[in-house]
Amino acid sequence: MTSFEFEFPTRLVFGSGTINRIGEVTRGLDCSRPLLVADPGIRDAGHVDTVLNLLTDAGLNVEVFDQFGVNPDSTMVDRGVSFATSLNRDSIIGLGGGSSLDCAKGINLILTNGGQIADYRGYGHAQKPLLPMVAIPTTAGTGSEAQSYAVISDSTTHLKMACGDPKLAFAAAILDPELTLSQPTEVTASAGFDAIAHAVETAVTTRRTELSMLFSREAFRLLNANYERVLVQPSDLDARGAMHLGSFYAGIAIEQSMLGAAHACANPLTAQYQLTHGVALAILLPHVVRWNTQKNDSLYAGLVDSDIPSDQAGTRLAERLADLSRAGGFPTDLQTAGIQMNDLAGLAESAGAQWTGTFNPRPFSESEALEVYQCAY
């Protein structure tokens, strides 16, 4: 068995209506002057006003930063740092999807440690303490609330930078499935498939452990059983709660075992074509599973029903993932998504350089990335 160490620093508060405890949770961290980070879409959905009222009623002094967008980049983080520098904040609350949570982490890094976000690419580069943070995810997708990584795009190259540090872990996360009711269907679909991809990839990486696989498998069980259900019955809070927990568990698995080739191939598609991350994964993941299975038929046995022969596990899982992708209404291949065949070689060069590819169970570099793209075309 692979050796591992596990210490989970994030307090989890889960359940319908738990957003009402945000004042209590923040005060429990001995904080009274939070910076609330939430993108304009979250404000438009009414969530910012709700949280502002709850925090104000609890006697907290709140400032709101919302000048950023989907896939936050280094310029947006710098804008948030400039906004917060003179405000004497003692904590940060991230409210929204992965963009809000990652932007909150990025602002915290620079606000407390200085420099540029690119200085923190990799892991463990923060030398000074960070402000305590609370996560309030409004989507079931990235699992950022369970991770010590911020994913920030370089504003010049548009490539995503994974900036990790143990100090970036949220002190608390409030998972209230009622907050996900405001999501448009396409966001529920793409974010949910992102979480599914996290569960699938973390289950088989070269860094997986017995513990990480527990979270991967339980995440996949919850997500697989409820993804179609939440799309057909969007007001089903039980299904939304299961998706929320599945995303969170998959986030813990990422923290332990990292990701693989599907994410390595998806990131350049987002950078070059602005293809939504979850959509890119929905197109790629069935092909990556089949491609990985060519070298190990039983690799995905832990994610399929026990009555399925291990030498059919990858094939059956790929079929199920394709079914889920269709349920999400995604393009069936890269060509349908508008990707140009002439761009595949350049995309493969970028994918081969992605950090996540180094953890894929089958060796992965530029030539293998091109093979994956061609399979998905």
Side-chain angles (χ1 to χ4, degrees):
M1 289 187 179
T2 302
S3 298
F4 66 88
E5 182 174 335
F6 181 70
E7 180 179 355
F8 193 65
T10 304
R11 173 190 178 190
L12 174 60
V13 181
F14 170 80
S16 294
T18 50
I19 187 60
N20 294 309
R21 297 178 59 186
I22 181 58
E24 163 207 332
V25 169
T26 305
R27 281 207 169 278
L29 298 172
D30 293 326
C31 297
S32 60
R33 302 183 309 279
L35 174 70
L36 179 61
V37 178
D39 68 59
I42 299 302
R43 185 185 282 278
D44 292 343
H47 296 316
V48 169
D49 287 342
T50 296
V51 173
L52 268 177
N53 290 335
L54 290 168
L55 292 169
T56 301
D57 289 347
L60 302 175
N61 178 328
V62 191
E63 295 283 355
V64 180
F65 174 70
D66 62 2
Q67 300 305 303
F68 63 98
V70 177
N71 297 317
D73 62 27
S74 50
T75 298
M76 298 174 191
V77 169
D78 289 342
R79 191 181 301 143
V81 172
S82 296
F83 175 84
T85 295
S86 62
L87 296 177
N88 191 29
R89 300 293 93 188
D90 64 4
S91 53
I92 295 181
I93 299 172
L95 170 66
S99 296
S100 293
L101 304 191
D102 284 349
C103 194
K105 292 176 182 178
I107 291 169
N108 201 350
L109 266 177
I110 309 305
L111 191 64
T112 56
N113 279 259
Q116 303 295 318
I117 193 66
D119 300 335
Y120 301 93
R121 187 173 186 173
Y123 195 77
H125 299 306
Q127 301 300 311
K128 299 177 183 178
L130 274 67
L131 300 178
M133 292 189 294
V134 178
I136 311 174
T138 60
T139 63
T142 68
S144 180
E145 67 276 6
Q147 301 170 46
S148 60
Y149 280 85
V151 180
I152 306 294
S153 297
D154 184 296
S155 59
T156 302
T157 65
H158 306 296
L159 294 177
K160 292 187 175 184
M161 300 179 288
C163 306
D165 195 281
K167 303 181 190 70
L168 272 179
F170 284 100
I174 295 177
L175 270 60
D176 186 339
E178 293 183 21
L179 298 184
T180 70
L181 291 170
S182 65
Q183 291 180 92
T185 301
E186 60 270 21
V187 175
T188 298
S190 61
F193 207 98
D194 188 15
I196 289 168
H198 293 162
V200 170
E201 292 218 285
T202 55
V204 299
T205 66
T206 55
R207 277 187 51 178
R208 68 188 184 276
T209 67
E210 294 300 314
L211 182 69
S212 72
M213 287 188 286
L214 286 176
F215 286 108
S216 299
R217 291 166 180 168
E218 179 62 8
F220 186 74
R221 185 188 70 81
L222 290 168
L223 297 164
N224 181 43
N226 289 279
Y227 181 72
E228 292 158 307
R229 182 177 164 192
V230 80
L231 293 175
V232 175
Q233 304 175 50
S235 62
D236 188 330
L237 281 176
D238 286 339
R240 288 194 173 276
M243 292 294 293
H244 233 358
L245 275 182
S247 174
F248 185 82
Y249 293 158
I252 297 175
I254 293 173
E255 189 76 359
Q256 293 292 304
S257 66
M258 296 305 297
L259 295 162
H263 277 77
C265 289
N267 288 340
L269 292 171
T270 299
Q272 184 167 329
Y273 279 93
Q274 289 73 57
L275 190 63
T276 301
H277 184 61
V279 175
L281 287 167
I283 296 170
L284 292 164
L285 187 61
H287 297 284
V288 169
V289 169
R290 290 190 185 98
W291 183 77
N292 280 335
T293 302
Q294 291 173 10
K295 296 296 183 181
N296 185 346
D297 287 338
S298 63
L299 186 63
Y300 295 96
L303 296 179
V304 297
D305 291 340
S306 58
D307 60 347
I308 294 175
S310 61
D311 62 355
Q312 298 178 24
T315 298
R316 296 289 289 273
L317 177 61
E319 291 170 352
R320 176 58 180 158
L321 292 171
D323 288 342
L324 293 173
S325 179
R326 281 189 289 271
F330 304 120
T332 55
D333 51 50
L334 293 176
Q335 184 176 12
T336 305
I339 310 305
Q340 300 298 310
M341 173 68 83
N342 291 340
D343 289 340
L344 296 187
L347 289 165
E349 182 179 3
S350 296
Q354 295 283 315
W355 190 41
T356 55
T358 64
F359 305 104
N360 195 68
R362 180 177 175 182
F364 179 85
S365 63
E366 180 179 340
S367 60
E368 287 80 15
L370 181 58
E371 189 177 338
V372 169
Y373 284 135
Q374 289 170 337
C375 289
Y377 201 81

